[in-house]
């Protein structure tokens, strides 16, 4: 099963619900393929409770874009805990997005976030990715391995963690990796995950970074790829649906 996860970032107001409605309706009608994928949308925190109610038991699920690193309640002005997210019926959260890492979210904060999200039984979209400089120095795999091992523990319920490989240089830039390069990274990363975590579990890895309906064909044949994290193109129902349509064409 493939994931198509839309990350709205700091966009969206109550009436943006119609975007999700259209995606949900499309997915309901898409009888031929709708068992092959799961569509999930991550709106900002302000819309989570309302959207979570409206899309309860629907084809499309709702995801939080982040959670605070401390559990339950506390004197943390402006923060929202994984516990609070779970309590409004949300089952997914994005953690470690490079836009948050750029604002100081380091491995130790991400580690705490993942711990509290797991404790509250959330499914985690865990973002990792190298920047332009690291790619140029051929450090990609080293960076990805470090981002994973600094944060995930062997005794975690690893099935709750979906890795989103998002090269920083690709987010919002229109640039995507060469298919052969991406394929190689996916294969090596999956192999590493199995051996490091001493498991036969086949980790789910998504790709994220400038995915749209014009470049989606590049990803079609990658059987190691378990889906996509989609930023810009998820704010329009047409663009998001076109990605799914083209992927299964
Ligand atoms: C993202 O922010 O997770 C992302 C993939 O953005 P975009 O698709 O706009 O590059």
């Amino acid at each position: 099963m493939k994931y198509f996860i839309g990350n709205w970032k700091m966009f969206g107001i109550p009436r943006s619900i119609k975007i999700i409605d259209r995606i949900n309706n499309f997915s309901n009608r898409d009888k031929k393929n709708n068992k092959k994928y799961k569509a999930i949308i991550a709106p900002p925190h302000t819309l989570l409770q309302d959207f979570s109610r409206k899309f309860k038991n629907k084809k499309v699920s709702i995801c939080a874009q982040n959670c605070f690193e401390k559990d339950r309640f506390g004197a943390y002005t402006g923060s929202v805990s994984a516990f609070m997210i779970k309590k409004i019926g949300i089952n997914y959260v994005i953690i470690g997005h490079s836009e948050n890492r750029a604002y100081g979210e380091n491995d130790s904060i991400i580690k705490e976030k993942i711990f509290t999200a797991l404790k509250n039984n959330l499914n985690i979209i865990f973002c990792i990715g190298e920047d332009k400089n690291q790619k140029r120095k051929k450090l990609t795999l080293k960076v990805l391995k470090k981002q994973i091992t600094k944060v995930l523990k062997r005794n975690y319920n690893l099935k709750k963690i979906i890795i989103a490989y998002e090269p920083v240089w690709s987010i919002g830039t229109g640039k995507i990796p060469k298919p052969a390069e991406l394929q190689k990274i996916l294969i090596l990363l999956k192999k590493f995950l199995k051996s490091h975590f001493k498991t036969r579990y086949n980790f789910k890895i998504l790709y994220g970074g400038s995915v749209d309906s014009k470049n989606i064909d590049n990803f079609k044949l990658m059987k190691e790829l378990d889906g996509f994290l989609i930023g810009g193109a998820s704010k329009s129902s047409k663009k998001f649906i076109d990605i799914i349509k083209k992927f299964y064409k």
Side-chain angles (χ1 to χ4, degrees), residues 111 114-115 118 151-158 161:
K111 189 176 174 185
I114 290 196
F115 182 80
L118 284 175
V151 159
L152 300 186
K153 294 260 183 63
R154 288 206 172 94
N155 62 350
Y156 282 179
N157 182 0
L158 299 169
I161 294 161

Side-chain angles (χ1 to χ4, degrees), residues 207-243:
Y207 167 75
S210 297
V211 172
D212 62 26
S213 60
K214 292 184 196 80
N215 61 29
I216 191 72
D217 282 347
N218 288 282
F219 305 100
K220 265 189 176 175
L221 299 174
M222 294 182 198
K223 67 175 180 8
E224 293 79 15
L225 193 57
D226 299 291
F228 305 92
L229 185 53
I230 302 160
S234 71
K235 288 179 294 180
S236 139
S237 53
K238 184 182 181 315
K239 285 185 183 167
F240 193 79
I241 292 167
D242 278 353
I243 291 173

Side-chain angles (χ1 to χ4, degrees), residues 129-158:
E130 84 286 3
D131 66 23
K132 204 165 119 190
N133 239 340
Q134 291 162 332
K135 178 179 163 55
R136 194 176 45 81
K137 291 184 187 152
K138 301 198 187 316
L139 293 172
T140 298
L141 221 54
K142 197 172 165 198
V143 169
L144 302 182
K145 286 179 185 175
K146 189 162 164 249
Q147 287 173 337
I148 291 168
T149 52
K150 286 261 175 192
V151 159
L152 300 186
K153 294 260 183 63
R154 288 206 172 94
N155 62 350
Y156 282 179
N157 182 0
L158 299 169

